[in-house]
Amino acid sequence: EKKLYGQLVVIVALMLFGQRLDTVVLPLVGQIQLGGWAWPFTLFWYLGFINSMNLIDGLDGLASGISILASLALLVISWAVGEMFSTLFAATLCGATVAFFYWNLSKRKIFLGDSGSMWMGLVLASLLLNLSQIVPISLPVLVAPMIVPIWDTGTTIIRRYRSRSSIFQADDHHLHHRLLRLGFSPRGVVVCLLLVTAG
């Protein structure tokens, strides 16, 4: 819960400096102006991304691999639409994460930890938010590179709500844990989920 308070402070500060999801584009509906709903929607947006990356960080290379693929997709989109700030931001995140990914999988391991995974979620959320306010990209297309952590977080919240346990309580029923119990090796789980992300 202490982590949540810290996240709220950072998110509110970002929103006060103009980082808000004022418009969204939905399939078959088009562009929607959120108006007064921009603040709670942005809060939910940031909390979702930050914590989904934190929750998916259960195996070496999984969270960082997803971050690489997501930032690479954002780099390509930003470059295609001529948004150079987002292009450079995405390239920086991708390059830094590739370097981390190498050492995360080596024998001399380094780890993300909570601060690393939440930072990745925060940066990706900011990149996606900024890009969505510049280019009218459909929301499902925009968040597609994050489908694995979003799905895992959604099912985790539902599972813990049904079992009446705290949503902050750790468990071993995440997507990667289930694949491990099915017989996949840790490296095989990472490869499988990164292929889903890339697809």
Side-chain angles (χ1 to χ4, degrees), residues 13-84:
L14 286 172
M15 290 193 290
L16 289 173
F17 279 97
Q19 294 289 303
R20 291 186 299 275
L21 204 58
D22 294 311
T23 62
V24 294
V25 179
L26 297 177
L28 306 177
V29 177
Q31 196 170 60
I32 300 173
Q33 297 291 331
L34 294 176
W37 288 98
W39 285 78
F41 202 95
T42 304
L43 182 66
F44 177 78
W45 175 273
Y46 272 110
L47 285 175
F49 274 83
I50 291 170
N51 289 291
S52 65
M53 286 300 288
N54 186 226
L55 290 173
I56 204 67
D57 183 31
L59 294 173
D60 290 341
L62 182 52
S64 54
I66 290 171
S67 179
I68 290 169
L69 293 173
S71 56
L72 187 59
L74 287 170
L75 191 160
V76 172
I77 296 171
S78 301
W79 177 268
V81 300
E83 177 49 39
M84 295 310 299

Side-chain angles (χ1 to χ4, degrees), residues 67-138:
S67 179
I68 290 169
L69 293 173
S71 56
L72 187 59
L74 287 170
L75 191 160
V76 172
I77 296 171
S78 301
W79 177 268
V81 300
E83 177 49 39
M84 295 310 299
F85 176 77
S86 296
T87 301
L88 291 172
F89 207 149
T92 302
L93 175 62
C94 186
T97 312
V98 166
F100 170 84
F101 184 80
Y102 172 79
W103 289 105
N104 187 220
L105 295 180
S106 71
K107 292 182 179 179
R108 298 179 179 178
K109 292 186 182 297
I110 58 174
F111 301 96
L112 278 176
D114 286 343
S115 58
S117 59
M118 289 190 289
W119 178 82
M120 281 184 177
L122 176 68
V123 175
L124 286 169
S126 294
L127 271 170
L128 285 163
L129 186 151
N130 288 328
L131 194 58
S132 72
Q133 301 309 288
I134 296 169
V135 185
I137 302 174
S138 177

Side-chain angles (χ1 to χ4, degrees), residues 167-178:
I167 61 171
F168 302 106
Q169 182 180 338
D171 61 35
D172 61 351
H173 296 289
H174 291 284
L175 186 56
H176 46 279
H177 292 134
R178 295 183 181 187

Side-chain angles (χ1 to χ4, degrees), residues 142-162:
L142 201 62
V143 302
M146 293 289 289
I147 188 62
V148 170
I150 289 172
W151 175 268
D152 182 60
T153 301
T155 55
T156 297
I157 291 172
I158 293 171
R159 180 178 67 253
R160 292 177 184 174
Y161 174 78
R162 287 179 174 175

